[in-house]
PDB file of all heavy atoms in Angstrom:
ATOM      1  N   ALA B 315      98.776 116.276 101.921  1.00 98.00           N
ATOM      2  CA  ALA B 315      99.527 115.255 102.414  1.00 98.00           C
ATOM      3  C   ALA B 315      98.815 114.559 103.583  1.00 98.00           C
ATOM      4  O   ALA B 315      98.801 113.248 103.595  1.00 98.00           O
ATOM      5  CB  ALA B 315     100.924 115.700 102.939  1.00 98.00           C
ATOM      6  N   CYS B 316      98.126 115.218 104.376  1.00 98.00           N
ATOM      7  CA  CYS B 316      97.303 114.660 105.486  1.00 98.00           C
ATOM      8  C   CYS B 316      96.199 113.714 104.876  1.00 98.00           C
ATOM      9  O   CYS B 316      95.874 112.669 105.350  1.00 98.00           O
ATOM     10  CB  CYS B 316      96.682 115.705 106.400  1.00 98.00           C
ATOM     11  SG  CYS B 316      97.976 116.537 107.339  1.00 98.00           S
ATOM     12  N   VAL B 317      95.500 114.266 103.874  1.00 98.00           N
ATOM     13  CA  VAL B 317      94.409 113.512 103.276  1.00 98.00           C
ATOM     14  C   VAL B 317      94.974 112.274 102.490  1.00 98.00           C
ATOM     15  O   VAL B 317      94.397 111.188 102.659  1.00 98.00           O
ATOM     16  CB  VAL B 317      93.743 114.391 102.148  1.00 98.00           C
ATOM     17  CG1 VAL B 317      92.703 113.569 101.276  1.00 98.00           C
ATOM     18  CG2 VAL B 317      92.984 115.586 102.865  1.00 98.00           C
ATOM     19  N   VAL B 318      96.003 112.352 101.874  1.00 98.00           N
ATOM     20  CA  VAL B 318      96.699 111.167 101.308  1.00 98.00           C
ATOM     21  C   VAL B 318      96.948 110.094 102.350  1.00 98.00           C
ATOM     22  O   VAL B 318      96.679 108.958 102.107  1.00 98.00           O
ATOM     23  CB  VAL B 318      97.956 111.524 100.484  1.00 98.00           C
ATOM     24  CG1 VAL B 318      98.737 110.349 100.052  1.00 98.00           C
ATOM     25  CG2 VAL B 318      97.526 112.275  99.240  1.00 98.00           C
ATOM     26  N   LEU B 319      97.624 110.479 103.478  1.00 97.00           N
ATOM     27  CA  LEU B 319      97.980 109.640 104.503  1.00 97.00           C
ATOM     28  C   LEU B 319      96.778 108.902 105.158  1.00 97.00           C
ATOM     29  O   LEU B 319      96.707 107.702 105.478  1.00 97.00           O
ATOM     30  CB  LEU B 319      98.779 110.208 105.589  1.00 97.00           C
ATOM     31  CG  LEU B 319     100.198 110.674 105.271  1.00 97.00           C
ATOM     32  CD1 LEU B 319     100.865 111.602 106.326  1.00 97.00           C
ATOM     33  CD2 LEU B 319     101.002 109.452 104.900  1.00 97.00           C
ATOM     34  N   VAL B 320      95.719 109.689 105.368  1.00 97.00           N
ATOM     35  CA  VAL B 320      94.468 109.077 105.969  1.00 97.00           C
ATOM     36  C   VAL B 320      93.879 108.028 104.925  1.00 97.00           C
ATOM     37  O   VAL B 320      93.414 106.946 105.384  1.00 97.00           O
ATOM     38  CB  VAL B 320      93.423 110.287 106.311  1.00 97.00           C
ATOM     39  CG1 VAL B 320      92.118 109.649 106.562  1.00 97.00           C
ATOM     40  CG2 VAL B 320      93.932 111.009 107.426  1.00 97.00           C
ATOM     41  N   VAL B 321      93.820 108.464 103.648  1.00 97.00           N
ATOM     42  CA  VAL B 321      93.174 107.566 102.639  1.00 97.00           C
ATOM     43  C   VAL B 321      94.037 106.243 102.595  1.00 97.00           C
ATOM     44  O   VAL B 321      93.553 105.176 102.601  1.00 97.00           O
ATOM     45  CB  VAL B 321      92.964 108.238 101.338  1.00 97.00           C
ATOM     46  CG1 VAL B 321      92.751 107.175 100.152  1.00 97.00           C
ATOM     47  CG2 VAL B 321      92.048 109.309 101.442  1.00 97.00           C
ATOM     48  N   ARG B 322      95.394 106.367 102.576  1.00 96.00           N
ATOM     49  CA  ARG B 322      96.230 105.221 102.667  1.00 96.00           C
ATOM     50  C   ARG B 322      96.073 104.268 103.784  1.00 96.00           C
ATOM     51  O   ARG B 322      96.036 103.176 103.641  1.00 96.00           O
ATOM     52  CB  ARG B 322      97.712 105.867 102.524  1.00 96.00           C
ATOM     53  CG  ARG B 322      98.724 104.745 102.181  1.00 96.00           C
ATOM     54  CD  ARG B 322     100.052 105.355 101.946  1.00 96.00           C
ATOM     55  NE  ARG B 322     100.856 104.977 103.079  1.00 96.00           N
ATOM     56  CZ  ARG B 322     102.124 105.446 103.295  1.00 96.00           C
ATOM     57  NH1 ARG B 322     102.593 106.280 102.467  1.00 96.00           N
ATOM     58  NH2 ARG B 322     102.855 104.948 104.229  1.00 96.00           N
ATOM     59  N   LYS B 323      95.910 104.965 104.988  1.00 94.00           N
ATOM     60  CA  LYS B 323      95.610 104.139 106.150  1.00 94.00           C
ATOM     61  C   LYS B 323      94.302 103.459 106.061  1.00 94.00           C
ATOM     62  O   LYS B 323      94.158 102.243 106.399  1.00 94.00           O
ATOM     63  CB  LYS B 323      95.679 105.070 107.420  1.00 94.00           C
ATOM     64  CG  LYS B 323      95.347 104.331 108.696  1.00 94.00           C
ATOM     65  CD  LYS B 323      96.247 104.392 109.766  1.00 94.00           C
ATOM     66  CE  LYS B 323      95.798 103.874 111.037  1.00 94.00           C
ATOM     67  NZ  LYS B 323      95.517 102.359 111.081  1.00 94.00           N
ATOM     68  N   LEU B 324      93.327 104.076 105.672  1.00 93.00           N
ATOM     69  CA  LEU B 324      91.963 103.458 105.477  1.00 93.00           C
ATOM     70  C   LEU B 324      92.071 102.222 104.431  1.00 93.00           C
ATOM     71  O   LEU B 324      91.363 101.141 104.686  1.00 93.00           O
ATOM     72  CB  LEU B 324      90.857 104.429 104.974  1.00 93.00           C
ATOM     73  CG  LEU B 324      90.534 105.462 105.952  1.00 93.00           C
ATOM     74  CD1 LEU B 324      89.669 106.492 105.298  1.00 93.00           C
ATOM     75  CD2 LEU B 324      89.896 104.888 107.190  1.00 93.00           C
ATOM     76  N   VAL B 325      92.676 102.428 103.421  1.00 93.00           N
ATOM     77  CA  VAL B 325      92.861 101.314 102.400  1.00 93.00           C
ATOM     78  C   VAL B 325      93.574 100.141 103.014  1.00 93.00           C
ATOM     79  O   VAL B 325      93.267  98.919 102.884  1.00 93.00           O
ATOM     80  CB  VAL B 325      93.499 101.786 101.035  1.00 93.00           C
ATOM     81  CG1 VAL B 325      93.993 100.709 100.158  1.00 93.00           C
ATOM     82  CG2 VAL B 325      92.650 102.781 100.283  1.00 93.00           C
ATOM     83  N   LYS B 326      94.674 100.549 103.748  1.00 92.00           N
ATOM     84  CA  LYS B 326      95.476  99.403 104.370  1.00 92.00           C
ATOM     85  C   LYS B 326      94.681  98.624 105.415  1.00 92.00           C
ATOM     86  O   LYS B 326      94.674  97.438 105.408  1.00 92.00           O
ATOM     87  CB  LYS B 326      96.719 100.130 104.942  1.00 92.00           C
ATOM     88  CG  LYS B 326      97.637  99.036 105.689  1.00 92.00           C
ATOM     89  CD  LYS B 326      98.851  99.835 106.329  1.00 92.00           C
ATOM     90  CE  LYS B 326      99.679  98.851 107.177  1.00 92.00           C
ATOM     91  NZ  LYS B 326     100.663  99.462 107.993  1.00 92.00           N
ATOM     92  N   ASP B 327      93.903  99.384 106.290  1.00 90.00           N
ATOM     93  CA  ASP B 327      93.152  98.763 107.287  1.00 90.00           C
ATOM     94  C   ASP B 327      91.999  97.898 106.631  1.00 90.00           C
ATOM     95  O   ASP B 327      91.699  96.854 107.142  1.00 90.00           O
ATOM     96  CB  ASP B 327      92.477  99.749 108.137  1.00 90.00           C
ATOM     97  CG  ASP B 327      93.462 100.445 109.096  1.00 90.00           C
ATOM     98  OD1 ASP B 327      94.587  99.982 109.193  1.00 90.00           O
ATOM     99  OD2 ASP B 327      93.094 101.427 109.776  1.00 90.00           O
ATOM    100  N   LYS B 328      91.521  98.424 105.526  1.00 87.00           N
ATOM    101  CA  LYS B 328      90.488  97.582 104.804  1.00 87.00           C
ATOM    102  C   LYS B 328      91.042  96.259 104.302  1.00 87.00           C
ATOM    103  O   LYS B 328      90.447  95.332 104.385  1.00 87.00           O
ATOM    104  CB  LYS B 328      89.808  98.394 103.679  1.00 87.00           C
ATOM    105  CG  LYS B 328      88.868  97.642 102.920  1.00 87.00           C
ATOM    106  CD  LYS B 328      87.596  98.393 102.949  1.00 87.00           C
ATOM    107  CE  LYS B 328      86.627  97.743 101.987  1.00 87.00           C
ATOM    108  NZ  LYS B 328      85.337  97.221 102.682  1.00 87.00           N
ATOM    109  N   LYS B 329      92.173  96.405 103.778  1.00 87.00           N
ATOM    110  CA  LYS B 329      92.825  95.119 103.203  1.00 87.00           C
ATOM    111  C   LYS B 329      93.105  94.038 104.338  1.00 87.00           C
ATOM    112  O   LYS B 329      93.160  92.945 104.046  1.00 87.00           O
ATOM    113  CB  LYS B 329      94.236  95.534 102.430  1.00 87.00           C
ATOM    114  CG  LYS B 329      93.872  96.178 101.123  1.00 87.00           C
ATOM    115  CD  LYS B 329      95.241  96.312 100.334  1.00 87.00           C
ATOM    116  CE  LYS B 329      95.038  97.020  99.028  1.00 87.00           C
ATOM    117  NZ  LYS B 329      96.224  97.323  98.275  1.00 87.00           N
ATOM    118  N   GLU B 330      93.525  94.700 105.490  1.00 85.00           N
ATOM    119  CA  GLU B 330      93.811  93.803 106.674  1.00 85.00           C
ATOM    120  C   GLU B 330      92.703  93.413 107.408  1.00 85.00           C
ATOM    121  O   GLU B 330      92.772  92.645 108.388  1.00 85.00           O
ATOM    122  CB  GLU B 330      94.826  94.514 107.557  1.00 85.00           C
ATOM    123  CG  GLU B 330      96.173  94.818 106.934  1.00 85.00           C
ATOM    124  CD  GLU B 330      97.109  95.520 107.884  1.00 85.00           C
ATOM    125  OE1 GLU B 330      96.700  95.971 109.031  1.00 85.00           O
ATOM    126  OE2 GLU B 330      98.346  95.790 107.479  1.00 85.00           O
ATOM    127  N   GLY B 331      91.436  93.795 107.007  1.00 82.00           N
ATOM    128  CA  GLY B 331      90.257  93.435 107.653  1.00 82.00           C
ATOM    129  C   GLY B 331      89.989  94.126 108.931  1.00 82.00           C
ATOM    130  O   GLY B 331      89.295  93.628 109.854  1.00 82.00           O
ATOM    131  N   LYS B 332      90.498  95.354 109.149  1.00 76.00           N
ATOM    132  CA  LYS B 332      90.378  96.049 110.421  1.00 76.00           C
ATOM    133  C   LYS B 332      89.232  97.054 110.278  1.00 76.00           C
ATOM    134  O   LYS B 332      89.223  98.109 110.970  1.00 76.00           O
ATOM    135  CB  LYS B 332      91.654  96.795 110.745  1.00 76.00           C
ATOM    136  CG  LYS B 332      92.777  95.934 111.068  1.00 76.00           C
ATOM    137  CD  LYS B 332      94.055  96.737 111.424  1.00 76.00           C
ATOM    138  CE  LYS B 332      95.201  95.856 111.772  1.00 76.00           C
ATOM    139  NZ  LYS B 332      96.347  96.630 112.105  1.00 76.00           N
ATOM    140  N   THR B 333      88.243  96.916 109.482  1.00 69.00           N
ATOM    141  CA  THR B 333      87.139  97.820 109.407  1.00 69.00           C
ATOM    142  C   THR B 333      86.065  97.369 110.422  1.00 69.00           C
ATOM    143  O   THR B 333      86.003  96.253 110.824  1.00 69.00           O
ATOM    144  CB  THR B 333      86.498  97.900 107.963  1.00 69.00           C
ATOM    145  OG1 THR B 333      86.026  96.602 107.670  1.00 69.00           O
ATOM    146  CG2 THR B 333      87.603  98.319 107.018  1.00 69.00           C
ATOM    147  N   CYS B 334      85.101  98.197 110.691  1.00 64.00           N
ATOM    148  CA  CYS B 334      84.098  97.913 111.579  1.00 64.00           C
ATOM    149  C   CYS B 334      83.185  96.697 111.015  1.00 64.00           C
ATOM    150  O   CYS B 334      82.636  95.922 111.724  1.00 64.00           O
ATOM    151  CB  CYS B 334      83.147  99.017 111.898  1.00 64.00           C
ATOM    152  SG  CYS B 334      81.976  98.779 113.173  1.00 64.00           S
ATOM    153  N   CYS B 335      83.072  96.677 109.615  1.00 60.00           N
ATOM    154  CA  CYS B 335      82.238  95.522 109.052  1.00 60.00           C
ATOM    155  C   CYS B 335      82.992  94.229 109.272  1.00 60.00           C
ATOM    156  O   CYS B 335      82.206  93.235 109.358  1.00 60.00           O
ATOM    157  CB  CYS B 335      82.143  95.818 107.550  1.00 60.00           C
ATOM    158  SG  CYS B 335      81.290  97.452 107.187  1.00 60.00           S
ATOM    159  N   GLY B 336      84.253  94.275 109.455  1.00 53.00           N
ATOM    160  CA  GLY B 336      84.955  93.040 109.767  1.00 53.00           C
ATOM    161  C   GLY B 336      84.918  92.660 111.308  1.00 53.00           C
ATOM    162  O   GLY B 336      85.379  91.625 111.630  1.00 53.00           O
ATOM    163  N   CYS B 337      84.517  93.602 112.086  1.00 54.00           N
ATOM    164  CA  CYS B 337      84.369  93.516 113.498  1.00 54.00           C
ATOM    165  C   CYS B 337      85.727  93.007 114.289  1.00 54.00           C
ATOM    166  O   CYS B 337      85.712  92.330 115.236  1.00 54.00           O
ATOM    167  CB  CYS B 337      83.309  92.423 113.833  1.00 54.00           C
ATOM    168  SG  CYS B 337      81.715  93.089 113.414  1.00 54.00           S
ATOM    169  N   SER B 338      86.913  93.458 113.665  1.00 54.00           N
ATOM    170  CA  SER B 338      88.140  93.032 114.295  1.00 54.00           C
ATOM    171  C   SER B 338      88.658  94.217 115.198  1.00 54.00           C
ATOM    172  O   SER B 338      89.301  93.918 116.188  1.00 54.00           O
ATOM    173  CB  SER B 338      89.190  92.732 113.281  1.00 54.00           C
ATOM    174  OG  SER B 338      89.444  93.746 112.466  1.00 54.00           O
ATOM    175  N   SER B 339      88.190  95.485 114.879  1.00 54.00           N
ATOM    176  CA  SER B 339      88.690  96.624 115.664  1.00 54.00           C
ATOM    177  C   SER B 339      87.613  97.134 116.660  1.00 54.00           C
ATOM    178  O   SER B 339      87.989  97.799 117.529  1.00 54.00           O
ATOM    179  CB  SER B 339      89.251  97.627 114.847  1.00 54.00           C
ATOM    180  OG  SER B 339      88.205  98.141 113.998  1.00 54.00           O
ATOM    181  N   CYS B 340      86.361  96.876 116.317  1.00 59.00           N
ATOM    182  CA  CYS B 340      85.381  97.473 117.124  1.00 59.00           C
ATOM    183  C   CYS B 340      84.798  96.476 118.212  1.00 59.00           C
ATOM    184  O   CYS B 340      84.090  96.932 119.114  1.00 59.00           O
ATOM    185  CB  CYS B 340      84.137  97.883 116.280  1.00 59.00           C
ATOM    186  SG  CYS B 340      83.315  96.506 115.555  1.00 59.00           S
ATOM    187  N   GLY B 341      85.160  95.294 118.317  1.00 56.00           N
ATOM    188  CA  GLY B 341      84.791  94.401 119.222  1.00 56.00           C
ATOM    189  C   GLY B 341      83.316  94.060 119.133  1.00 56.00           C
ATOM    190  O   GLY B 341      82.645  93.545 120.065  1.00 56.00           O
ATOM    191  N   GLY B 342      82.702  94.373 118.059  1.00 53.00           N
ATOM    192  CA  GLY B 342      81.316  94.095 117.797  1.00 53.00           C
ATOM    193  C   GLY B 342      80.427  95.114 118.309  1.00 53.00           C
ATOM    194  O   GLY B 342      79.228  95.060 118.329  1.00 53.00           O
ATOM    195  N   SER B 343      80.949  96.283 118.843  1.00 58.00           N
ATOM    196  CA  SER B 343      80.120  97.323 119.386  1.00 58.00           C
ATOM    197  C   SER B 343      79.529  98.258 118.287  1.00 58.00           C
ATOM    198  O   SER B 343      78.802  99.168 118.673  1.00 58.00           O
ATOM    199  CB  SER B 343      80.928  98.161 120.364  1.00 58.00           C
ATOM    200  OG  SER B 343      81.981  98.823 119.717  1.00 58.00           O
ATOM    201  N   CYS B 344      79.718  98.023 116.965  1.00 61.00           N
ATOM    202  CA  CYS B 344      79.250  98.835 115.961  1.00 61.00           C
ATOM    203  C   CYS B 344      77.760  98.398 115.722  1.00 61.00           C
ATOM    204  O   CYS B 344      77.141  98.984 114.901  1.00 61.00           O
ATOM    205  CB  CYS B 344      80.076  98.681 114.777  1.00 61.00           C
ATOM    206  SG  CYS B 344      80.172  97.076 113.984  1.00 61.00           S
ATOM    207  N   GLY B 345      77.327  97.379 116.345  1.00 56.00           N
ATOM    208  CA  GLY B 345      75.965  96.957 116.062  1.00 56.00           C
ATOM    209  C   GLY B 345      75.669  96.038 114.941  1.00 56.00           C
ATOM    210  O   GLY B 345      74.623  95.784 114.433  1.00 56.00           O
ATOM    211  N   CYS B 346      76.830  95.341 114.535  1.00 59.00           N
ATOM    212  CA  CYS B 346      76.632  94.414 113.531  1.00 59.00           C
ATOM    213  C   CYS B 346      76.291  92.994 113.896  1.00 59.00           C
ATOM    214  O   CYS B 346      76.072  92.139 113.119  1.00 59.00           O
ATOM    215  CB  CYS B 346      77.972  94.441 112.618  1.00 59.00           C
ATOM    216  SG  CYS B 346      79.402  93.903 113.568  1.00 59.00           S
ATOM    217  N   GLY B 347      76.358  92.797 115.190  1.00 53.00           N
ATOM    218  CA  GLY B 347      75.925  91.563 115.876  1.00 53.00           C
ATOM    219  C   GLY B 347      76.924  90.435 115.798  1.00 53.00           C
ATOM    220  O   GLY B 347      76.566  89.264 115.919  1.00 53.00           O
ATOM    221  N   HIS B 348      78.187  90.723 115.803  1.00 52.00           N
ATOM    222  CA  HIS B 348      79.236  89.687 115.846  1.00 52.00           C
ATOM    223  C   HIS B 348      80.013  89.630 117.161  1.00 52.00           C
ATOM    224  O   HIS B 348      81.254  89.380 117.251  1.00 52.00           O
ATOM    225  CB  HIS B 348      80.284  89.869 114.768  1.00 52.00           C
ATOM    226  CG  HIS B 348      79.701  89.724 113.382  1.00 52.00           C
ATOM    227  ND1 HIS B 348      79.327  88.520 112.829  1.00 52.00           N
ATOM    228  CD2 HIS B 348      79.379  90.612 112.367  1.00 52.00           C
ATOM    229  CE1 HIS B 348      78.910  88.576 111.671  1.00 52.00           C
ATOM    230  NE2 HIS B 348      78.837  89.937 111.364  1.00 52.00           N
ATOM    231  N   GLY B 349      79.311  89.857 118.338  1.00 50.00           N
ATOM    232  CA  GLY B 349      79.954  89.804 119.576  1.00 50.00           C
ATOM    233  C   GLY B 349      79.850  91.150 120.226  1.00 50.00           C
ATOM    234  O   GLY B 349      79.020  91.968 120.011  1.00 50.00           O
ATOM    235  N   GLY B 350      80.870  91.336 121.049  1.00 47.00           N
ATOM    236  CA  GLY B 350      80.988  92.621 121.875  1.00 47.00           C
ATOM    237  C   GLY B 350      80.204  92.499 123.193  1.00 47.00           C
ATOM    238  O   GLY B 350      79.770  91.449 123.660  1.00 47.00           O
TER     239      GLY B 350
END
């Protein structure tokens, strides 16, 4: 159940653009060069 919930959250965040590649949740600190 924990694994299912984590995967579900990851998929939901990806659809909403909240991944580090989208630079909306990391503030650019992930090293992708989009601010921070």
Side-chain angles (χ1 to χ4, degrees):
C316 289
V317 170
V318 167
L319 290 174
V320 168
V321 170
R322 192 172 107 184
K323 171 125 176 65
L324 289 172
V325 170
K326 180 182 174 189
D327 286 351
K328 177 121 175 125
K329 285 182 181 179
E330 292 177 359
K332 293 183 181 179
T333 61
C334 190
C335 297
C337 293
S338 61
S339 64
C340 66
S343 62
C344 63
C346 59
H348 292 289

